[in-house]
């Protein structure tokens, strides 16, 4: 029986990635997002991609063109290349191992008890969205050692 090849079109999205490998060197890569979100109308977001049940994620490293499968749990962060200016942020400093720290802005700060950084960090998502240098950055909260407000 002849095999019929099905090709599912993906959206090639350039991001910056830092993995937890002691090199501390971020690199540019392409993620391949679905054209349709499973949760809402429109395209799959980077957050949805990172929160999927897939353990290994496919990327193409921009500098070499190499196709690589990355262990999602070893990602320190994934940063969008597009600029995104959002108001009402709260500044925090995230500390990771190997002397890495990032000053980021917490999005969607609300007044009252639900506006606390602690409440945001304790939500069930593995990758939390912040703003860094006017771009969305998705940080693996399992890699955060401490946070300073």
């Amino acid at each position: 029986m002849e095999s019929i090849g099905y090709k599912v079109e993906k959206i090639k999205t350039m991001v910056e990635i830092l993995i937890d490998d002691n090199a501390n060197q971020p690199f540019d890569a392409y993620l391949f997002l679905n054209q349709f979100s499973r949760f809402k109308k429109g395209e799959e977001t980077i957050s949805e991609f990172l929160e999927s049940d897939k353990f290994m994620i496919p990327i193409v490293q921009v500098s070499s063109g190499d196709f690589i499968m990355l262990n999602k749990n070893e990602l320190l962060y994934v940063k969008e290349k597009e600029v995104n200016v959002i108001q009402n942020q709260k500044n925090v400093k995230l500390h990771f191992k190997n002397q890495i720290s990032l000053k980021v802005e917490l999005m969607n700060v609300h007044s009252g008890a639900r506006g606390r950084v602690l409440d945001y960090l304790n939500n069930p998502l593995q990758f939390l969205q912040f703003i860094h240098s006017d771009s969305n950055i998705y940080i693996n909260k399992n890699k955060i050692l401490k946070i300073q407000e």
Side-chain angles (χ1 to χ4, degrees):
M1 176 178 238
E2 188 175 324
S3 166
I4 299 174
Y6 292 99
K7 184 176 180 182
V8 177
E9 293 294 323
K10 300 283 186 171
I11 301 166
K12 190 176 180 180
T13 306
M14 187 186 292
V15 295
E16 177 182 291
I17 293 176
L18 180 61
I19 57 176
D20 191 12
D21 68 351
N22 296 323
N24 300 338
Q25 294 296 318
F27 60 91
D28 289 341
Y30 292 110
L31 299 180
F32 300 93
L33 306 178
N34 288 315
Q35 289 186 350
F36 303 100
S37 169
R38 295 181 297 164
F39 305 104
K40 61 175 181 51
K41 191 174 186 176
E43 301 169 348
E44 179 181 43
T45 65
I46 292 175
S47 179
E48 291 170 345
F49 176 82
L50 293 171
E51 294 300 329
S52 73
D53 58 357
K54 294 174 179 61
F55 180 73
M56 301 296 286
I57 59 170
I59 67 159
V60 170
Q61 194 167 1
V62 172
S63 63
S64 66
D66 291 341
F67 177 81
I68 302 169
M69 298 293 288
L70 286 179
N71 178 338
K72 186 170 67 174
N73 294 323
E74 294 305 313
L75 294 174
L76 196 75
Y77 70 70
V78 173
K79 182 178 177 183
E80 291 182 14
K81 292 301 218 172
E82 295 179 16
V83 172
N84 183 10
V85 179
I86 296 181
Q87 302 299 319
N88 299 326
Q89 303 108 349
K90 180 175 185 144
N91 295 318
V92 294
K93 187 172 185 179
L94 307 176
H95 297 270
F96 308 91
K97 64 182 179 180
N98 301 325
Q99 307 300 316
I100 299 172
S101 65
L102 282 176
K103 289 182 181 178
V104 297
E105 298 170 21
L106 179 62
M107 297 174 41
N108 302 323
V109 177
H110 304 289
S111 59
R114 291 292 176 200
R116 299 181 307 176
V117 174
L118 183 61
D119 293 323
Y120 184 65
L121 295 172
N122 284 325
N123 81 47
L125 298 176
Q126 178 181 354
F127 288 86
L128 300 178
Q129 184 176 356
F130 297 91
I131 301 291
H132 181 260
S133 302
D134 292 329
S135 294
N136 290 329
I137 186 168
Y138 304 88
I139 297 178
N140 185 345
K141 73 178 179 184
N142 298 318
K143 301 294 183 176
I144 299 171
L145 294 178
K146 67 179 181 178
I147 297 171
Q148 291 176 291
E149 289 189 59

